[in-house]
Amino acid sequence: MGSSLGLCLGKAPSSSQLFLFFAMGSDVQPGTEMEIIVEETVSVRDCLKLMLEKSGLQGDAWHLRKMDWCYEAGEPLCEEDATLKELLLCSGDTLLLIEGQLPPPGFLKVPIWWYQLQGPSGHWEGHQDQTNCTSFWGRARRAASSQGETRMGFQQPVHR
């Protein structure tokens, strides 16, 4: 009572196979998921290849993430040689095909933002200071030490 059954074309998955949903990107719209049946012993790398093939995508700049309980992209499946069974994936799980290659084992991807400092006149420092950090901080240290001022362990340029 209250349950729905669907009649699907094709052979039902065996006990060693997983029925998975997958979608591209992290903003999944209802009804845009695709389905795939894979062996639970398939590696993450091979599963990714099968999903890319089924979705018509090419290239190696993709990775998989498991969708978490609140329908958002969870942690990436970093261990490409691990089997789906080892990563505790179950039938009915949804994986997301996310564009972007994961860093090799032992490396991190760290986002970096470059902030441009304001000069004494209230204008932004020139292009040379933005691209040549060593030159800027070297001048900053000399200026600060000549004025004898240090803040929070960093020598700061003094603008008068």
Side-chain angles (χ1 to χ4, degrees), residues 101-143:
Q101 199 168 23
L102 292 174
F107 287 82
L108 298 173
K109 268 190 177 178
V110 179
I112 298 174
W113 292 271
W114 189 268
Y115 290 96
Q116 201 172 22
L117 300 174
Q118 261 187 329
S121 63
H123 293 86
W124 297 107
E125 290 288 323
H127 183 70
Q128 181 181 4
D129 289 340
Q130 181 181 0
T131 57
N132 190 347
C133 189
T134 307
S135 155
F136 173 78
W137 287 111
R139 286 195 323 270
R141 283 190 196 99
R142 283 191 300 276

Side-chain angles (χ1 to χ4, degrees), residues 36 38-39 41-53 59-60 62-64 77-84 86-87 89 95 97 101-105:
I36 193 167
V38 294
E39 291 292 327
T41 56
V42 73
S43 69
V44 170
R45 178 182 293 111
D46 291 338
C47 183
L48 173 61
K49 287 178 185 176
L50 291 168
M51 290 177 174
L52 288 171
E53 185 179 301
D60 58 354
W62 296 88
H63 66 277
L64 291 174
L77 302 181
C78 297
E79 300 173 47
E80 292 183 323
D81 294 324
T83 66
L84 301 180
E86 290 171 337
L87 296 178
L89 289 169
L95 298 178
L97 279 170
Q101 199 168 23
L102 292 174

Side-chain angles (χ1 to χ4, degrees), residues 137 140-141 143-145 147 149-158:
W137 287 111
R141 283 190 196 99
S145 60
Q147 297 295 323
E149 295 186 21
T150 302
R151 296 186 198 127
M152 294 179 20
F154 296 103
Q155 293 181 331
Q156 301 288 325
V158 178

